[in-house]
Amino acid sequence: RAKRSGGRTYRYYAKDWNAYAHDRVVLAAQLRRAISNDELVLYYQPQIDLRCNKVVGLEALVRWIHADEGLVSPVRFIPMAEETGLIEPLGEWVMKKACQQAADWWQQGIEFGRVAVNVSGVQIERSDMVAQVSRFLESSGLPAECLELEITESFLMTHIEAAADLLAGLKHLGVQLAMDDFGTGYSSLAYLKGLDFHTLKIDKSFLEGVPQQGSDAEILRTVVALGRSLGFKILAEGVETEQQRSFLMDSQCNYAQGYYFSPPVPAQAVPELIRKFAAVEA
Ligand code: C2E
Ligand code: MG
Ligand code: MG
Ligand code: MG
């Protein structure tokens, strides 16, 4: 009986694996087409200065407008894009689009602060990021200081040497740098002191137990204080409640981003959103 159920388990596993592999091959082919056919779209999520309640940045988050499945989350296709090399054309599309859009807003006098673009480690390893960024800044006319690149802590920690050169090159262009998902990569803050980052984005998992769980709250307060003492601006990701907002404010956190303020929205909704925040007193 054990053998039979073992066999069954194997068959189910094999079947699921085939479906999974097939799904990925099909998905990769479709994504390749989607990139060249402009079937991707950027949503923007505001980053808020906790003291004045103004928008200081917009994070560009890619979605795929899929014929059968509607808007597909990047969680579903970024890892596959990284494995297949599609992250290069995808990353280039995102960078170009975000720079063009931000340059449009900039020309219209819309005060969005910075547009923040997520950059994958694989993309950094494979393409000449500095040349690419420089090209898109020039073709769009976006001032370099209006662009921020988000690089994950886990990539930085595993590629510390390559990263240092890249960061210097990007810094030289005048773009800002943010460390994304901070707290998930097990680095020590003291080690980060030498890296030229403007912002540390504390991963949203740290906020989940705040303020109910004392230990989470204590960790968050400590990270904010230490990060600030090292000269970083601190942004908390995944703020969903008023209690979290006021806790962060009391903890001297600089910026926040999350559904409490706004979900990611399409580009056309951005100007109105910025006006709305500007009109409300903190
Ligand atoms: P991320 O860079 O950490 O982006 C934040 C994610 O948290 C976004 O998910 C955002 O929609 C979500 N989020 C925002 N506020 C809240 C909140 O209050 N609660 C919760 N639970 N979640 C919130 P999204 O858009 O699905 O993106 C997921 C990840 O995909 C991003 O994580 C980023 O790592 C990656 N990604 C998105 N766009 C790009 C891109 O253009 N290039 C690359 N390389 N990666 C991207
Ligand atoms: Mg990000
Ligand atoms: Mg993040
Ligand atoms: Mg994240």
Side-chain angles (χ1 to χ4, degrees), residues 42 45 59-63 73-75 78 82 87 90-91 94 117-121 123 150 152 180-181 201 203-204 208 237-240 257-260 262-264:
L42 292 182
Q45 187 175 37
E59 181 173 5
L61 294 156
V62 68
R63 277 98 183 83
S73 156
V75 177
I78 294 286
E82 289 179 334
I87 195 68
L90 177 96
V94 169
V117 174
N118 290 282
V119 175
S120 152
Q123 196 185 339
E150 297 193 1
T152 62
D180 204 357
D181 302 342
K201 299 189 72 178
D203 191 70
K204 53 179 171 286
E208 276 162 17
E237 297 186 299
V239 180
E240 295 183 353
Q257 180 180 344
Y259 300 155
Y260 174 75
S262 168

Side-chain angles (χ1 to χ4, degrees), residues 23 27-28 30-31 34 39-43 61-80 90:
D23 187 47
L27 220 60
Q30 290 179 344
L31 180 59
E39 289 165 16
L40 302 174
V41 65
L42 292 182
Y43 273 44
L61 294 156
V62 68
R63 277 98 183 83
W64 175 4
I65 314 164
H66 191 280
D68 307 322
E69 309 203 24
L71 274 193
V72 181
S73 156
V75 177
R76 264 192 71 200
F77 61 87
I78 294 286
M80 178 267 283
L90 177 96

